[in-house]
């Protein structure tokens, strides 16, 4: 990355962080380009050099905060895959508390941004859950000998199902605890996994 690219990247991060800071006290719909620029210390033309509108900034900010969170899982994907490879099929779960609890805590902490992302349709679940697919779902489907042509459909069931439950949790104000939501997701997933085991 050359100096001009680094400057461009750092300016974008400042605007991502400005949105995160402003959303601690305000809803997304009330935040203006002017407020972003003042908080980030940039001028209006710089904003439009990076984004067409606020929805573009929101989408980038979602990716920015999620990337920082995913570093938690990326630190030891090999260990996770080895664990899946060595476990008996009776012990395998597509979704575990090891992944769910930190993820739901993260969502709760950033619920204003998640709510705005859902409302503005900038949340692409298939992209946001790519690590869950790569490190958990795909290796487990491999262990169950699920045909490759069926895997994208099965992963969509889990990914969009979990996303829908998280969306409902956010829209109702995160009234349930992180642990309650995690247990509910696992309960529903377990029912599906029982049928998967029966079929294979």
């Amino acid at each position: 990355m050359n100096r001009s690219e680094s400057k461009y990247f750092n300016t974008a991060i400042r605007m991502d962080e400005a949105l995160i800071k402003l959303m601690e006290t305000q809803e997304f719909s009330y935040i203006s380009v002017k407020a972003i620029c003042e908080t980030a210390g940039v001028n209006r033309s710089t904003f439009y050099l990076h984004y067409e509108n606020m929805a573009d900034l929101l989408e980038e900010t979602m990716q920015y905060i999620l990337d920082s969170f995913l570093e938690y899982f990326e630190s030891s994907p090999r260990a996770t895959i080895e664990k899946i490879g060595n476990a008996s099929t009776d012990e395998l779960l597509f979704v575990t508390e090891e992944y769910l609890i930190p993820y739901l805590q993260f969502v709760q902490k950033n619920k204003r941004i998640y709510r705005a992302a859902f409302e503005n349709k900038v949340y692409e679940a298939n992209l946001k859950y790519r690590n869950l697919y790569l490190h958990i779902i795909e290796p487990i489907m491999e262990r169950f000998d699920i045909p490759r042509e069926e895997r994208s459909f099965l992963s969509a069931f889990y990914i969009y199902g979990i996303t829908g439950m998280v969306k409902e949790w956010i829209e109702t104000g995160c009234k349930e605890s992180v642990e309650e939501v995690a247990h509910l997701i696992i309960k529903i997933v377990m029912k599906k996994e029982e049928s998967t085991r029966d079929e294979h």
Side-chain angles (χ1 to χ4, degrees):
M1 182 184 294
N2 62 39
R3 186 172 180 178
S4 62
E5 288 173 332
S6 177
K7 183 177 179 182
Y8 184 94
F9 180 72
N10 289 334
T11 302
I13 289 177
R14 282 162 59 192
M15 286 188 279
D16 291 334
E17 292 176 345
L19 180 58
I20 293 168
K21 181 178 180 180
L22 289 167
M23 289 196 71
E24 290 175 359
T25 57
Q26 302 175 59
E27 294 296 338
F28 176 73
S29 58
Y30 293 106
I31 298 173
S32 65
V33 172
K34 179 182 178 182
I36 292 292
C37 293
E38 288 177 351
T39 305
V42 301
N43 57 44
R44 196 176 184 88
S45 62
T46 300
F47 177 91
Y48 288 108
L49 179 64
H50 289 260
Y51 318 104
E52 287 189 14
N53 50 45
M54 286 289 291
D56 283 350
L57 172 61
L58 175 61
E59 183 172 9
E60 182 186 271
T61 303
M62 273 296 303
Q63 192 60 59
Y64 171 70
I65 63 172
L66 196 62
D67 283 346
S68 64
F69 171 72
L70 287 175
E71 290 175 4
Y72 171 84
F73 297 116
E74 290 171 349
S75 62
S76 58
R78 182 178 298 277
T80 301
I81 292 171
E82 287 177 357
K83 182 179 177 181
I84 290 170
N86 295 328
S88 70
T89 53
D90 288 339
E91 298 173 316
L92 290 177
L93 295 173
F94 282 101
V95 180
T96 67
E97 284 192 356
E98 178 185 5
Y99 272 69
L100 278 177
I101 295 293
Y103 170 67
L104 292 171
Q105 289 172 337
F106 174 79
V107 170
Q108 189 176 51
K109 178 181 176 183
N110 296 283
K111 63 183 176 183
R112 286 178 182 264
I113 292 179
Y114 269 84
R115 183 166 56 244
F118 283 126
E119 289 172 353
N120 290 272
K121 298 179 172 55
V122 300
Y123 190 95
E124 291 292 335
N126 59 320
L127 297 177
K128 303 298 186 280
Y129 281 88
R130 65 188 182 279
N131 277 31
L132 176 64
Y133 178 82
L134 288 173
H135 302 317
I136 299 293
I137 297 176
E138 171 68 17
I140 291 177
M141 287 194 290
E142 185 75 33
R143 288 290 311 278
F144 281 110
D145 296 320
I146 294 171
R148 290 201 172 272
E149 62 271 17
E150 295 178 12
R151 293 182 187 181
S152 63
F153 294 98
L154 188 58
S155 66
F157 171 84
Y158 287 105
I159 290 171
Y160 287 100
I162 292 170
T163 301
M165 293 179 71
V166 168
K167 183 174 183 287
E168 179 67 18
W169 183 48
I170 290 170
E171 289 178 348
T172 56
C174 296
K175 291 182 291 187
E176 296 81 7
S177 70
V178 163
E179 290 74 20
E180 287 174 318
V181 177
H183 291 158
L184 180 58
I185 291 172
I186 290 171
K187 179 181 178 182
I188 292 170
V189 167
M190 284 290 289
K191 289 180 180 178
K192 176 60 182 173
E193 288 179 9
E194 286 172 6
S195 65
T196 300
R197 290 190 179 96
D198 292 340
E199 292 170 5
H200 296 85

